[in-house]
Amino acid sequence: MGMDIVFIVEMVEVVGIALGVIGLILTIVICALPTWRVTTIIAGNVATTEVVWYGLWMRCVTQGTGQTQCDNSMWHWRYNLQPARAMIPTAIILGVLGVMVSMVGAKCTNCIKDKTSQAKLIIITGILFILAGILILIAVFLVAKPIISDSSTQIEGKTELGASLYFGWVAAILLLIGGVLLFVTVGVFGWTMGIFGWIVSLVSCYISISHYYYIWDMKKVLMTITSISSILGALGVMGSIFGTRCCNCIESNRIRVKARFIVGIFFILASILQLTTEIVVVHFLIMDVQRQLANLVDFILFDLVFLAELSSWSASMLLIGGTILCCSIFKRNQSDSSMTQSTSR
């Protein structure tokens, strides 16, 4: 039975690394190909119709006769591309580092025999994959949003999303799933979900503090709830630093179990507060939008909806992470009791 569990863990680890490698390959492809945006300039006849392909580094024009010319003249689209030009190469570097670290720390390679060192390297690999996936998602979103919503891009012709944007979404999802699977193999999935949920809660806290100057009563409520949630999440993150096995800060298994349970409680309480934030925002939008936001809909309504979405994501991740950490105490207690019984016999 133990060998079966080890084999399953190794297989999941290999799948996570493989997904990260595939996501890295797709990222390199979309970085090189000029297929981020496609503009079709329809003229009077087929011969003068042009299809313009835009990429991060070049532009290619395919005429109706079939002739294609490429150049690096990107001045008319440089403002939308500057963030992507920085994020995509950074994601590639992070992905390459993640693959290199995984080759050293994976259980199937046996480069390092110490299990604690292997766990640390796998955690680093998962973090690198997840960061790369997040950067790709942000870059693709920044390029796709003006194409979908901005009508000014339609002046020079019919503009559509290029194939690189779709492949970018796939690459980001693969990297994120690969990173999560690696966290599962080393038993820190609960910690990871809680930490990422806390990071998202910090964003919602910043939004509630820096916005809604014209709705003071609501701002005070949101500031209080999100601030307390961020503090509870920070306490959970601080506890997670000392409670994991790979840190070796706590040697006693019983104290580790207690630390996990306490951190899980902090994460669950923070998730409840984040859910309360979402309920407050949704209630305000349903009941008071006509009275409070009559003249402020344009620059407040979007922030409120965005805050509600962030709170829901943060609450979900904190609740999942906290529940996993709290439930792990039962397994630990059961194993400890069985060990004490066998010892007494």
Side-chain angles (χ1 to χ4, degrees), residues 9-14 16-17 96-126 128-129 181-183 185-186 246:
V9 170
E10 290 182 355
M11 289 298 297
V12 174
E13 187 179 272
V14 171
I17 296 173
V96 171
L97 291 176
V99 173
M100 294 174 62
V101 174
S102 67
M103 293 175 62
V104 178
K107 295 182 179 65
C108 56
T109 57
N110 291 326
C111 295
I112 298 177
K113 296 183 179 180
D114 185 14
K115 293 183 178 180
T116 302
S117 300
Q118 286 181 345
K120 291 179 180 179
L121 292 177
I122 292 299
I123 291 173
I124 294 173
T125 302
L128 292 173
F129 283 168
L181 288 179
L182 293 178
F183 284 134
T185 60
V186 294
C246 55

Side-chain angles (χ1 to χ4, degrees), residues 153-167:
T153 58
Q154 307 294 328
I155 296 177
E156 57 183 13
K158 181 181 178 182
T159 304
E160 299 176 349
L161 300 175
S164 292
L165 296 178
Y166 298 103
F167 285 119

Side-chain angles (χ1 to χ4, degrees), residues 39-345:
T39 301
T40 303
I41 303 175
I42 303 175
N45 51 48
V46 178
T48 56
T49 300
E50 294 182 348
V51 179
V52 185
W53 302 81
Y54 297 93
L56 294 180
W57 318 106
M58 66 176 64
R59 179 191 65 170
C60 295
V61 180
T62 302
Q63 299 177 354
T65 57
Q67 184 178 4
T68 302
Q69 295 180 350
C70 296
D71 56 50
N72 58 355
S73 178
M74 302 298 297
W75 61 270
H76 51 284
W77 200 37
R78 64 182 182 272
Y79 298 106
N80 292 338
L81 282 179
Q82 290 301 331
R85 284 180 174 178
M87 293 179 183
I88 296 299
T90 304
I92 292 175
I93 295 173
L94 293 175
V96 171
L97 291 176
V99 173
M100 294 174 62
V101 174
S102 67
M103 293 175 62
V104 178
K107 295 182 179 65
C108 56
T109 57
N110 291 326
C111 295
I112 298 177
K113 296 183 179 180
D114 185 14
K115 293 183 178 180
T116 302
S117 300
Q118 286 181 345
K120 291 179 180 179
L121 292 177
I122 292 299
I123 291 173
I124 294 173
T125 302
I127 292 173
L128 292 173
F129 283 168
I130 290 177
L131 290 177
I134 293 174
L135 287 177
I136 296 171
L137 279 180
I138 296 174
V140 171
F141 173 77
L142 292 177
V143 174
K145 182 180 178 181
I147 297 175
I148 297 173
S149 61
D150 191 4
S151 60
S152 63
T153 58
Q154 307 294 328
I155 296 177
E156 57 183 13
K158 181 181 178 182
T159 304
E160 299 176 349
L161 300 175
S164 292
L165 296 178
Y166 298 103
F167 285 119
W169 279 311
V170 174
I173 292 173
L174 292 177
L175 285 166
L176 291 174
I177 295 176
V180 170
L181 288 179
L182 293 178
F183 284 134
V184 171
T185 60
V186 294
V188 294
F189 181 69
W191 306 101
T192 306
M193 293 297 292
I195 291 173
F196 279 104
W198 172 68
I199 293 173
V200 177
S201 70
L202 291 179
V203 180
S204 63
C205 182
Y206 169 76
I207 294 175
S208 63
I209 292 175
S210 60
H211 291 70
Y212 322 121
Y213 297 106
Y214 298 93
I215 315 173
W216 178 245
D217 294 335
M218 182 180 179
K219 180 177 179 178
K220 289 191 295 184
V221 174
L222 294 179
M223 284 175 56
T224 303
I225 296 174
T226 56
S227 298
I228 296 174
S229 175
S230 299
I231 293 172
L232 290 174
L235 293 175
V237 172
M238 292 174 61
S240 66
I241 295 175
F242 299 100
T244 54
R245 281 186 179 181
C246 55
C247 292
N248 290 326
C249 296
I250 300 175
E251 296 181 356
S252 175
N253 289 329
R254 294 184 178 275
I255 298 178
R256 282 180 184 169
V257 169
K258 294 179 181 179
R260 286 188 178 186
F261 184 78
I262 294 173
V263 170
I265 293 298
F266 282 141
F267 284 158
I268 291 175
L269 292 176
S271 69
I272 294 174
L273 291 176
Q274 287 295 317
L275 185 61
T276 305
T277 301
E278 181 184 8
I279 293 173
V280 170
V281 173
V282 172
H283 176 76
F284 179 82
L285 292 175
I286 294 175
M287 302 300 296
D288 298 333
V289 66
Q290 296 296 331
R291 179 169 56 87
Q292 298 284 352
L293 298 178
N295 299 320
L296 304 173
V297 171
D298 292 337
F299 58 91
I300 288 184
L301 184 59
F302 175 79
D303 292 334
L304 288 173
V305 175
F306 185 60
L307 176 61
E309 292 180 355
L310 284 178
S311 298
S312 63
W313 280 101
S314 176
S316 301
M317 289 186 285
L318 287 168
L319 183 60
I320 293 173
T323 303
I324 293 174
L325 292 174
C326 289
C327 290
S328 64
I329 191 174
F330 300 106
K331 183 178 179 181
R332 291 297 180 184
N333 285 338
Q334 184 177 1
S335 61
D336 289 342
S337 61
S338 62
M339 289 177 61
T340 53
Q341 291 177 0
S342 62
T343 304
S344 60
R345 289 179 184 176

